[in-house]
Amino acid sequence: MTQRERREFLIRSMLLERPKYGSVSIPPDDAGQKQLLRSLFNLRPPQPPSEAFLQIQDAYLLQEAAQKGVTDLNALRPVEEGIYLWRGDITTLRCDAIVNAANSGLLGCFYPCHGCIDNAIHTYAGVQLRLACAALMEQQGHEEETGKAKITPAFNLPCRYVLHTVGPIVHGKLTQKEEEQLASCYRSCLELAGQYAVKSIAFCCISTGEFHFPPRRAAEIAVETVRAYRAQTHSNLEVIYNVFQERDYNIYRELLGGDKPPEGRSA
């Protein structure tokens, strides 16, 4: 099957799952089809798909990842021992684990084509990720607490694991409690990574988007917490600070290495 044939199969399959979308037609252009497919991925509830669906979805997503290009940790150079700064799409990074800034439901973002990292990670991991998260939440029996972390396989992403953590939501002036909660997100992920023998982990900018945590203070907490963990545990865990916006890149560059630009940056 071609990528277009795979895409149209996945769209038709998900439209059939939801009769109320029976009148939706498949766009003739690739861009329109990709937008519709992502929307359907985002809206799809955590229900088991057919084996045929999984095989075609996995082939499609792996080919899409190859076309976007994958950045391997080995291609990057550290800005200090065991610490990296990389600007790019976290869903294209090959390392042991990436961190997802999740919501308390832990099932991903259900808003079609939303720009949050939660949406992107669930889209390109495939429908298996929402199923895995749903199983964790069913076992837990309540929403995920702020500052905690869970781990799942990464499925169709180039990494091995996804660590899901819920950052604090800031309303108005930043509080000490919110700072402590954000630090807890980083510690929880680091500790969980240690339990699973993860050798490298990429952190996104937790809580600085839709959750409105001030970006500079968030970066300071991220750097302070990771440095403290490495010093206290003597861990060899390699940590990548993944940023997408130039604002965050500049903040981390200042905190980690002054004006020295890190090697391996990818836009």
Side-chain angles (χ1 to χ4, degrees), residues 143-203:
E143 290 192 334
E144 183 72 352
E145 297 177 43
T146 301
K148 305 295 185 181
K150 292 288 190 294
I151 189 168
T152 64
F155 300 103
N156 290 292
L157 296 171
C159 56
R160 294 174 58 206
Y161 299 107
V162 178
L163 279 71
H164 309 262
T165 190
V166 181
I169 302 174
V170 177
H171 300 286
K173 185 177 180 181
L174 183 65
T175 66
Q176 182 178 349
K177 179 181 179 180
E178 290 160 348
E179 291 187 343
E180 292 170 352
Q181 288 174 326
L182 184 61
S184 179
C185 288
Y186 285 91
R187 281 195 302 272
S188 295
C189 289
L190 293 166
E191 291 166 359
L192 192 55
Q195 294 173 25
Y196 281 79
V198 169
K199 296 180 179 179
S200 57
I201 183 171
F203 283 103

Side-chain angles (χ1 to χ4, degrees), residues 60-124:
Y60 177 81
L61 290 175
L62 291 174
Q63 182 62 33
E64 286 295 294
Q67 290 174 1
K68 286 194 297 182
V70 173
T71 297
D72 198 291
L73 174 60
N74 294 330
L76 308 183
R77 291 176 60 184
V79 292
E80 61 182 62
E81 185 180 357
I83 304 292
Y84 300 77
L85 174 61
W86 181 69
R87 184 182 177 195
D89 178 355
I90 200 169
T91 68
T92 67
L93 183 60
R94 180 179 289 121
C95 58
D96 267 8
I98 63 172
V99 173
N100 177 29
N103 57 53
S104 60
L106 218 71
L107 298 183
C109 173
F110 283 84
Y111 290 95
C113 299
H114 192 251
C116 67
I117 194 168
D118 196 15
N119 189 293
I121 287 174
H122 273 267
T123 297
Y124 297 111

Side-chain angles (χ1 to χ4, degrees), residues 133-142:
C133 289
L136 287 174
M137 296 305 287
E138 183 177 0
Q139 181 180 25
Q140 178 167 279
H142 58 80

